[in-house]
Amino acid sequence: MKWLKKRNPFYINSTRTPAVSQMLFFLMYAGYLICRTVLFTTVRFENDKVRMTRHVLWMCFFVAVFIVVFLCRYTIWQMLVIALLTAVYVKIYWTTSKQEYLFLHSIMIVFAARETEWKTILKFTLVAFLALIGGTIFLSMTGEISTVEVYRGDRLRLSLGFPHPNSFAFYLLCVVLMWVLLRFEHLKFYDYIAWMAIAAFAWWGPNSKTTTFSVLLLIPLIWILKKWGNSLLKSRLVRSICLCIYPFMALFSFLGSYFYQADSVLYTKIDKILFTGRLGLAYEFLIKYPITMFGQRLKLVGSVVAAQKGTTAYILDNCYMRTLMNDGVIAFILMLAMFVFLVYRAIQMNDKGMLAVLMIMAVYSVYENYFNRVGFNILFFQLCFQLFRPVKSGSSDLQVKGKSMKEHTK
């Protein structure tokens, strides 16, 4: 079976190939981020032509396929793994009547990053998010795109060009998480002050409880990991808790939804206060749809669209339940395996910033369905750098604090 370890025969072996691969990747990735953000603004409610942007997303996908096949130094067995994952998500794409395609895009874009460096991607994505947030807000304030008026009680929640205040706040959370990944070893007191200011804005502006409390939970978590992280991660109990957080949150989401009691005042009150009704919403999907291996097409109607058309909203925001119901059991297991693997690698590398971000993502995913796609989850790129070791590259992506992976695993 030695032939499996040989380099992909389609790879264009040239001294310029890595540079071309990097350049093409960033052009493709920039286009993908821009199009995803366009589809994540109020423009999608006003102009049917904007939906054509999805064709650009598919163009980015096929560019990523080209990069993976011809411009990345993968071995034959690694290419077979990528092909198998792609086949699974193509099957899900067709089974869901083309409803679920973002994970298919994500897998290919992630593996197209082979010849790039992790920190370069991180910095690029952070700058892109800041530009996209600023651009959306500017267009909203100048009246080029509309702002959805969403109220909680008699309080107006700001969306500033995004389709929902929670969407706006989520972009802010992504900025904070990338900030942590980039500066964890160099954090100063003013970083914490800035995060608290962002949390305050998320509360008083878009009035997003999930983002506000995620940032507020992140601050003490980082402080604890910076102060006692090395000793805590030596504990088998702490490592086990970290490794089990995603399966636990998934199990909690399923059982909390499955045993939901609409006629129980206490149950519904807890769901409304702590989970803003998400367990009850997931229960409605559980009783209406079966659990399948490769997913199914769900009838999903957002709150804004429902208000515009005067219909009932059908929302399934819980990431774990959305993946299970929409994408099926296979995708659900793969998603959990990917996240558990990333937690394992964060512990093994002693990358406490990455670990903190993963912990916050695990909790946040009970409330929102965003972190299962590469356009919002920067850590998905770590699958490329951690799952497949570089063949000949300088392995800068596998270095933490100037130490090699081999040193970390001793």
Side-chain angles (χ1 to χ4, degrees), residues 317-361:
D317 284 337
N318 184 297
C319 180
Y320 304 104
M321 294 303 296
R322 176 73 169 269
T323 304
L324 179 63
M325 300 298 297
N326 197 176
D327 301 0
V329 175
I330 301 297
F332 177 74
I333 293 172
L334 282 173
M335 183 189 74
L336 289 183
M338 290 176 187
F339 278 116
V340 171
F341 172 75
L342 289 176
V343 172
Y344 169 75
R345 297 300 287 143
I347 294 172
Q348 191 179 39
M349 294 189 301
N350 195 33
D351 192 334
K352 296 182 284 292
M354 179 175 167
L355 183 61
V357 169
L358 285 165
M359 296 298 102
I360 294 300
M361 285 182 176

Short mmCIF file of all heavy atoms in Angstrom, two decimals, residues 317-361:
data_model
loop_
_atom_site.label_atom_id
_atom_site.label_comp_id
_atom_site.label_asym_id
_atom_site.label_seq_id
_atom_site.Cartn_x
_atom_site.Cartn_y
_atom_site.Cartn_z
N ASP A 317 -32.79 27.12 14.75
CA ASP A 317 -31.51 27.80 14.93
C ASP A 317 -30.45 26.95 15.62
O ASP A 317 -29.26 27.21 15.46
CB ASP A 317 -31.71 29.09 15.75
CG ASP A 317 -32.33 30.20 14.91
OD1 ASP A 317 -32.19 30.14 13.68
OD2 ASP A 317 -32.95 31.10 15.48
N ASN A 318 -30.86 25.98 16.43
CA ASN A 318 -29.90 25.13 17.13
C ASN A 318 -29.03 24.39 16.11
O ASN A 318 -29.53 23.62 15.30
CB ASN A 318 -30.65 24.14 18.02
CG ASN A 318 -29.72 23.28 18.86
OD1 ASN A 318 -28.94 22.51 18.33
ND2 ASN A 318 -29.82 23.41 20.17
N CYS A 319 -27.72 24.63 16.14
CA CYS A 319 -26.81 24.07 15.15
C CYS A 319 -26.81 22.55 15.16
O CYS A 319 -26.79 21.90 14.10
CB CYS A 319 -25.40 24.59 15.41
SG CYS A 319 -24.16 23.98 14.25
N TYR A 320 -26.85 21.96 16.35
CA TYR A 320 -26.81 20.51 16.45
C TYR A 320 -28.08 19.89 15.87
O TYR A 320 -28.01 18.93 15.09
CB TYR A 320 -26.65 20.10 17.92
CG TYR A 320 -25.44 20.71 18.58
CD1 TYR A 320 -25.57 21.79 19.46
CD2 TYR A 320 -24.16 20.23 18.32
CE1 TYR A 320 -24.45 22.36 20.06
CE2 TYR A 320 -23.04 20.79 18.92
CZ TYR A 320 -23.20 21.87 19.79
OH TYR A 320 -22.10 22.43 20.38
N MET A 321 -29.23 20.44 16.23
CA MET A 321 -30.49 19.90 15.74
C MET A 321 -30.67 20.21 14.26
O MET A 321 -31.22 19.39 13.51
CB MET A 321 -31.66 20.48 16.55
CG MET A 321 -31.68 20.05 18.01
SD MET A 321 -31.72 18.25 18.18
CE MET A 321 -33.30 17.87 17.44
N ARG A 322 -30.22 21.35 13.81
CA ARG A 322 -30.33 21.70 12.39
C ARG A 322 -29.50 20.73 11.56
O ARG A 322 -29.96 20.25 10.50
CB ARG A 322 -29.86 23.14 12.19
CG ARG A 322 -29.81 23.61 10.76
CD ARG A 322 -31.19 23.87 10.17
NE ARG A 322 -31.06 24.56 8.89
CZ ARG A 322 -31.06 25.88 8.75
NH1 ARG A 322 -31.18 26.67 9.82
NH2 ARG A 322 -30.95 26.42 7.55
N THR A 323 -28.29 20.43 12.01
CA THR A 323 -27.45 19.49 11.27
C THR A 323 -28.06 18.10 11.27
O THR A 323 -28.08 17.42 10.24
CB THR A 323 -26.04 19.45 11.89
OG1 THR A 323 -25.48 20.76 11.91
CG2 THR A 323 -25.12 18.53 11.10
N LEU A 324 -28.57 17.66 12.41
CA LEU A 324 -29.17 16.33 12.52
C LEU A 324 -30.40 16.21 11.63
O LEU A 324 -30.56 15.22 10.90
CB LEU A 324 -29.54 16.05 13.97
CG LEU A 324 -30.21 14.70 14.25
CD1 LEU A 324 -29.27 13.55 13.89
CD2 LEU A 324 -30.64 14.60 15.72
N MET A 325 -31.29 17.20 11.67
CA MET A 325 -32.55 17.12 10.94
C MET A 325 -32.36 17.41 9.46
O MET A 325 -32.94 16.75 8.60
CB MET A 325 -33.57 18.10 11.53
CG MET A 325 -33.90 17.86 12.99
SD MET A 325 -34.64 16.26 13.28
CE MET A 325 -36.16 16.40 12.35
N ASN A 326 -31.58 18.43 9.13
CA ASN A 326 -31.43 18.87 7.75
C ASN A 326 -30.41 18.03 6.99
O ASN A 326 -30.65 17.61 5.85
CB ASN A 326 -31.03 20.35 7.73
CG ASN A 326 -31.24 21.01 6.38
OD1 ASN A 326 -31.03 22.20 6.22
ND2 ASN A 326 -31.65 20.28 5.37
N ASP A 327 -29.24 17.79 7.60
CA ASP A 327 -28.14 17.12 6.91
C ASP A 327 -28.09 15.62 7.16
O ASP A 327 -27.43 14.90 6.40
CB ASP A 327 -26.81 17.73 7.34
CG ASP A 327 -26.73 19.22 7.05
OD1 ASP A 327 -27.71 19.78 6.53
OD2 ASP A 327 -25.69 19.82 7.35
N GLY A 328 -28.72 15.16 8.24
CA GLY A 328 -28.76 13.74 8.51
C GLY A 328 -27.73 13.26 9.52
O GLY A 328 -26.86 14.00 9.96
N VAL A 329 -27.85 11.98 9.88
CA VAL A 329 -27.02 11.38 10.93
C VAL A 329 -25.55 11.36 10.54
O VAL A 329 -24.68 11.64 11.37
CB VAL A 329 -27.51 9.94 11.24
CG1 VAL A 329 -26.58 9.25 12.23
CG2 VAL A 329 -28.94 9.97 11.78
N ILE A 330 -25.24 11.04 9.27
CA ILE A 330 -23.84 10.96 8.84
C ILE A 330 -23.15 12.31 9.00
O ILE A 330 -22.06 12.40 9.57
CB ILE A 330 -23.76 10.51 7.37
CG1 ILE A 330 -24.41 9.13 7.18
CG2 ILE A 330 -22.30 10.49 6.91
CD1 ILE A 330 -23.74 8.03 7.94
N ALA A 331 -23.78 13.38 8.51
CA ALA A 331 -23.19 14.72 8.62
C ALA A 331 -23.10 15.15 10.08
O ALA A 331 -22.14 15.81 10.48
CB ALA A 331 -24.02 15.72 7.82
N PHE A 332 -24.09 14.77 10.87
CA PHE A 332 -24.11 15.11 12.30
C PHE A 332 -22.90 14.49 13.01
O PHE A 332 -22.19 15.16 13.77
CB PHE A 332 -25.42 14.61 12.91
CG PHE A 332 -25.54 14.83 14.38
CD1 PHE A 332 -25.79 16.09 14.89
CD2 PHE A 332 -25.43 13.76 15.27
CE1 PHE A 332 -25.92 16.29 16.26
CE2 PHE A 332 -25.56 13.95 16.64
CZ PHE A 332 -25.81 15.23 17.13
N ILE A 333 -22.65 13.20 12.74
CA ILE A 333 -21.52 12.52 13.35
C ILE A 333 -20.20 13.11 12.87
O ILE A 333 -19.26 13.32 13.65
CB ILE A 333 -21.58 11.00 13.06
CG1 ILE A 333 -22.78 10.38 13.76
CG2 ILE A 333 -20.29 10.31 13.49
CD1 ILE A 333 -23.03 8.93 13.38
N LEU A 334 -20.12 13.40 11.57
CA LEU A 334 -18.90 13.99 11.03
C LEU A 334 -18.61 15.36 11.65
O LEU A 334 -17.47 15.68 11.97
CB LEU A 334 -19.01 14.13 9.51
CG LEU A 334 -18.82 12.86 8.68
CD1 LEU A 334 -19.13 13.12 7.22
CD2 LEU A 334 -17.39 12.33 8.83
N MET A 335 -19.66 16.16 11.81
CA MET A 335 -19.49 17.48 12.41
C MET A 335 -18.95 17.36 13.84
O MET A 335 -17.99 18.05 14.22
CB MET A 335 -20.81 18.26 12.42
CG MET A 335 -20.67 19.68 12.97
SD MET A 335 -22.25 20.51 13.23
CE MET A 335 -22.85 19.67 14.71
N LEU A 336 -19.55 16.48 14.63
CA LEU A 336 -19.07 16.29 16.01
C LEU A 336 -17.64 15.78 16.02
O LEU A 336 -16.82 16.23 16.82
CB LEU A 336 -19.99 15.31 16.75
CG LEU A 336 -21.39 15.80 17.11
CD1 LEU A 336 -22.14 14.74 17.90
CD2 LEU A 336 -21.33 17.10 17.92
N ALA A 337 -17.32 14.84 15.12
CA ALA A 337 -15.97 14.29 15.06
C ALA A 337 -14.95 15.38 14.73
O ALA A 337 -13.86 15.43 15.30
CB ALA A 337 -15.91 13.17 14.03
N MET A 338 -15.31 16.27 13.80
CA MET A 338 -14.42 17.36 13.42
C MET A 338 -14.14 18.29 14.60
O MET A 338 -12.99 18.66 14.87
CB MET A 338 -15.01 18.16 12.26
CG MET A 338 -15.03 17.42 10.95
SD MET A 338 -15.86 18.39 9.65
CE MET A 338 -15.92 17.19 8.31
N PHE A 339 -15.19 18.64 15.32
CA PHE A 339 -15.02 19.56 16.45
C PHE A 339 -14.25 18.91 17.59
O PHE A 339 -13.39 19.54 18.22
CB PHE A 339 -16.37 20.06 16.94
CG PHE A 339 -16.92 21.21 16.14
CD1 PHE A 339 -18.10 21.09 15.42
CD2 PHE A 339 -16.25 22.42 16.09
CE1 PHE A 339 -18.59 22.15 14.67
CE2 PHE A 339 -16.73 23.49 15.35
CZ PHE A 339 -17.91 23.34 14.63
N VAL A 340 -14.55 17.64 17.88
CA VAL A 340 -13.82 16.94 18.94
C VAL A 340 -12.35 16.82 18.57
O VAL A 340 -11.47 16.99 19.42
CB VAL A 340 -14.44 15.54 19.20
CG1 VAL A 340 -13.56 14.73 20.15
CG2 VAL A 340 -15.84 15.67 19.79
N PHE A 341 -12.08 16.56 17.29
CA PHE A 341 -10.69 16.47 16.82
C PHE A 341 -9.97 17.80 17.02
O PHE A 341 -8.81 17.83 17.46
CB PHE A 341 -10.67 16.05 15.35
CG PHE A 341 -9.31 16.12 14.72
CD1 PHE A 341 -8.36 15.16 15.01
CD2 PHE A 341 -8.97 17.16 13.86
CE1 PHE A 341 -7.08 15.23 14.44
CE2 PHE A 341 -7.71 17.23 13.28
CZ PHE A 341 -6.76 16.26 13.58
N LEU A 342 -10.64 18.90 16.71
CA LEU A 342 -10.01 20.22 16.87
C LEU A 342 -9.74 20.52 18.34
O LEU A 342 -8.70 21.09 18.68
CB LEU A 342 -10.91 21.30 16.27
CG LEU A 342 -11.00 21.32 14.73
CD1 LEU A 342 -12.01 22.37 14.27
CD2 LEU A 342 -9.64 21.59 14.11
N VAL A 343 -10.66 20.12 19.22
CA VAL A 343 -10.43 20.30 20.66
C VAL A 343 -9.22 19.47 21.10
O VAL A 343 -8.36 19.95 21.85
CB VAL A 343 -11.68 19.88 21.47
CG1 VAL A 343 -11.37 19.89 22.97
CG2 VAL A 343 -12.84 20.83 21.18
N TYR A 344 -9.16 18.24 20.62
CA TYR A 344 -8.04 17.35 20.94
C TYR A 344 -6.70 17.96 20.50
O TYR A 344 -5.73 17.96 21.25
CB TYR A 344 -8.25 16.00 20.28
CG TYR A 344 -7.04 15.09 20.32
CD1 TYR A 344 -6.67 14.44 21.50
CD2 TYR A 344 -6.25 14.90 19.18
CE1 TYR A 344 -5.56 13.62 21.55
CE2 TYR A 344 -5.13 14.08 19.22
CZ TYR A 344 -4.79 13.44 20.40
OH TYR A 344 -3.69 12.64 20.45
N ARG A 345 -6.67 18.51 19.28
CA ARG A 345 -5.43 19.10 18.78
C ARG A 345 -5.08 20.37 19.55
O ARG A 345 -3.90 20.64 19.79
CB ARG A 345 -5.57 19.41 17.29
CG ARG A 345 -5.79 18.20 16.42
CD ARG A 345 -4.65 17.20 16.52
NE ARG A 345 -3.47 17.70 15.83
CZ ARG A 345 -2.23 17.50 16.27
NH1 ARG A 345 -2.03 16.86 17.40
NH2 ARG A 345 -1.21 17.96 15.60
N ALA A 346 -6.09 21.14 19.95
CA ALA A 346 -5.83 22.36 20.74
C ALA A 346 -5.18 21.99 22.07
O ALA A 346 -4.23 22.65 22.53
CB ALA A 346 -7.13 23.12 20.97
N ILE A 347 -5.67 20.93 22.69
CA ILE A 347 -5.10 20.47 23.97
C ILE A 347 -3.69 19.94 23.75
O ILE A 347 -2.76 20.24 24.51
CB ILE A 347 -6.00 19.38 24.60
CG1 ILE A 347 -7.34 19.97 25.01
CG2 ILE A 347 -5.30 18.75 25.80
CD1 ILE A 347 -8.35 18.94 25.46
N GLN A 348 -3.51 19.15 22.71
CA GLN A 348 -2.21 18.55 22.42
C GLN A 348 -1.15 19.61 22.13
O GLN A 348 0.01 19.47 22.53
CB GLN A 348 -2.34 17.59 21.24
CG GLN A 348 -1.13 16.70 21.02
CD GLN A 348 -1.32 15.76 19.87
OE1 GLN A 348 -1.89 16.12 18.84
NE2 GLN A 348 -0.84 14.52 20.01
N MET A 349 -1.55 20.68 21.42
CA MET A 349 -0.60 21.75 21.09
C MET A 349 -0.48 22.79 22.21
O MET A 349 0.30 23.71 22.10
CB MET A 349 -1.04 22.47 19.81
CG MET A 349 -0.99 21.64 18.56
SD MET A 349 -1.28 22.65 17.08
CE MET A 349 -2.90 23.31 17.44
N ASN A 350 -1.30 22.64 23.25
CA ASN A 350 -1.35 23.63 24.32
C ASN A 350 -1.75 25.00 23.79
O ASN A 350 -1.27 26.04 24.26
CB ASN A 350 -0.01 23.71 25.05
CG ASN A 350 -0.13 24.44 26.39
OD1 ASN A 350 -1.15 24.35 27.07
ND2 ASN A 350 0.90 25.17 26.76
N ASP A 351 -2.63 25.00 22.80
CA ASP A 351 -3.12 26.24 22.21
C ASP A 351 -4.39 26.65 22.96
O ASP A 351 -5.51 26.30 22.58
CB ASP A 351 -3.42 26.04 20.72
CG ASP A 351 -3.66 27.35 19.99
OD1 ASP A 351 -4.10 28.32 20.65
OD2 ASP A 351 -3.42 27.41 18.77
N LYS A 352 -4.19 27.41 24.02
CA LYS A 352 -5.31 27.74 24.91
C LYS A 352 -6.27 28.74 24.27
O LYS A 352 -7.46 28.76 24.60
CB LYS A 352 -4.76 28.27 26.24
CG LYS A 352 -3.96 27.22 27.01
CD LYS A 352 -3.46 27.73 28.34
CE LYS A 352 -2.28 28.66 28.19
NZ LYS A 352 -1.06 27.97 27.71
N GLY A 353 -5.79 29.59 23.38
CA GLY A 353 -6.67 30.50 22.68
C GLY A 353 -7.65 29.76 21.80
O GLY A 353 -8.85 30.03 21.78
N MET A 354 -7.13 28.80 21.05
CA MET A 354 -7.97 27.97 20.19
C MET A 354 -8.97 27.17 21.03
O MET A 354 -10.15 27.04 20.66
CB MET A 354 -7.09 27.03 19.38
CG MET A 354 -7.82 26.09 18.44
SD MET A 354 -6.63 25.15 17.43
CE MET A 354 -7.71 23.88 16.75
N LEU A 355 -8.53 26.67 22.17
CA LEU A 355 -9.41 25.90 23.04
C LEU A 355 -10.54 26.77 23.58
O LEU A 355 -11.71 26.34 23.60
CB LEU A 355 -8.60 25.31 24.21
CG LEU A 355 -9.38 24.42 25.18
CD1 LEU A 355 -9.94 23.20 24.46
CD2 LEU A 355 -8.47 23.98 26.34
N ALA A 356 -10.22 27.99 23.98
CA ALA A 356 -11.25 28.90 24.51
C ALA A 356 -12.30 29.21 23.44
O ALA A 356 -13.51 29.20 23.72
CB ALA A 356 -10.60 30.20 24.99
N VAL A 357 -11.84 29.46 22.23
CA VAL A 357 -12.77 29.77 21.13
C VAL A 357 -13.67 28.57 20.85
O VAL A 357 -14.88 28.71 20.64
CB VAL A 357 -11.99 30.18 19.87
CG1 VAL A 357 -12.91 30.24 18.66
CG2 VAL A 357 -11.32 31.53 20.09
N LEU A 358 -13.11 27.37 20.85
CA LEU A 358 -13.90 26.17 20.61
C LEU A 358 -14.95 25.96 21.70
O LEU A 358 -16.07 25.51 21.42
CB LEU A 358 -12.99 24.95 20.51
CG LEU A 358 -12.20 24.81 19.21
CD1 LEU A 358 -11.08 23.78 19.35
CD2 LEU A 358 -13.13 24.41 18.07
N MET A 359 -14.60 26.27 22.94
CA MET A 359 -15.57 26.12 24.03
C MET A 359 -16.75 27.08 23.85
O MET A 359 -17.92 26.70 24.04
CB MET A 359 -14.89 26.39 25.38
CG MET A 359 -13.79 25.42 25.76
SD MET A 359 -14.34 23.71 25.95
CE MET A 359 -13.77 23.01 24.39
N ILE A 360 -16.46 28.30 23.47
CA ILE A 360 -17.53 29.29 23.24
C ILE A 360 -18.39 28.88 22.06
O ILE A 360 -19.62 28.99 22.08
CB ILE A 360 -16.92 30.69 23.00
CG1 ILE A 360 -16.22 31.18 24.27
CG2 ILE A 360 -18.00 31.68 22.57
CD1 ILE A 360 -17.13 31.31 25.49
N MET A 361 -17.76 28.37 20.99
CA MET A 361 -18.51 27.92 19.83
C MET A 361 -19.47 26.78 20.20
O MET A 361 -20.60 26.71 19.69
CB MET A 361 -17.55 27.43 18.74
CG MET A 361 -16.83 28.53 17.99
SD MET A 361 -15.76 27.82 16.71
CE MET A 361 -15.15 29.30 15.92
#
